[in-house]
Amino acid sequence: MANTLGIVKPDGVRRKLVGKIITKIENSGLILRGMKVVRLSKEDAKEFYAIHEGKPFFNSLVEFMTSGPIVVMVIGGHGSIERWRELMGATDPAKAKYNTIRREYATSVEKNIVHGSDSETTARAEVSFFFNEDEILPKG
Ligand code: DAT
Ligand code: MG
C-alpha cells in the first residue's frame, strides 16, 4: 500500500482551489498522510522535473512551478498512485475525463493544477523529495 505525492501547483493555489482539491481527495477515500505549503527554487524545480530536461516545455515548466507557492501532499490508501492519477485526469485537460480535477479546473497542458507520481519508484523518490519520514503519518 504505497503512498504517492500530490501537488497543487501555483495556479491551483493562486485560484484558491486547494480546499476543493482536498475535498475530492477526502471524498474518494484516499488518506492525507502529510501536507505542507512550499515555494520551489529554480534548482528545486529543475531537480524535481529532471526527467523532462531537454524537452521544449522544460524551461517554461520550471518558470511556472516556481511562480508561486505550491501545496505538497502525501496521499495514501489502497491503490493511491493510480487512484490519485485517475482523480487528476489526463495531462492535457482537453483530453481529461469529466469530473476529474484537470477537466474541471485546468486551463492548459502546462497550467494543469495538480501533479501526481506515476509509479511506485517515482512516488517513493518524489515523496522523499519533500518529506522526512517523521512528517508522514504512519499507516494503520
Ligand atoms: P503528468 O503531470 O500528467 O505526469 P508529464 O509527466 O508528462 O505529465 O509532464 C509533467 C508536466 O509537464 C505536466 O504536468 C505539464 C508539463 N507538460 C507536459 N507536456 C507538456 C506540453 N506538451 N506542453 C507544455 N507543458 C507540458
Ligand atoms: Mg509525470
Side-chain angles (χ1 to χ4, degrees):
M1 205 167 85
N3 289 328
T4 192
L5 183 81
I7 303 181
V8 183
K9 296 184 179 183
D11 54 340
V13 176
R14 260 194 299 272
R15 291 170 54 201
K16 304 192 195 301
L17 295 170
V18 175
K20 288 197 168 72
I21 291 163
I22 291 173
T23 297
K24 279 185 186 287
I25 292 169
E26 289 176 326
N27 288 343
S28 75
L30 290 168
I31 301 159
L32 259 183
R33 295 195 191 280
M35 182 160 67
K36 54 184 151 183
V37 183
V38 300
R39 176 99 190 234
L40 291 177
S41 68
K42 291 263 163 14
E43 301 319 306
D44 293 333
K46 283 181 186 169
E47 190 184 334
F48 184 77
Y49 278 119
I51 194 164
H52 296 297
E53 205 164 349
K55 293 185 186 167
F57 58 83
F58 183 71
N59 288 339
S60 175
L61 177 62
V62 168
E63 284 299 319
F64 168 58
M65 289 301 291
T66 58
S67 68
I70 61 174
V71 176
V72 291
M73 300 174 289
V74 181
I75 302 170
H78 190 71
S80 63
I81 297 170
E82 296 74 20
R83 284 168 65 202
W84 171 233
R85 297 274 318 180
E86 187 73 28
L87 214 56
M88 292 199 307
T91 309
D92 180 351
K95 294 180 185 146
K97 290 184 191 152
Y98 286 102
N99 285 321
T100 61
I101 293 165
R102 283 166 165 174
R103 180 68 182 227
E104 273 186 64
Y105 300 120
T107 54
S108 70
V109 180
E110 181 177 81
K111 295 182 176 56
N112 63 6
I113 302 279
V114 280
H115 169 86
S117 312
D118 63 6
S119 71
E120 269 195 49
T121 310
T122 52
R124 211 173 299 120
E126 291 182 355
V127 166
S128 60
F129 187 90
F130 288 104
F131 292 87
N132 295 318
E133 242 357 273
D134 64 1
E135 296 174 310
I136 304 169
L137 190 73
K139 293 165 191 177

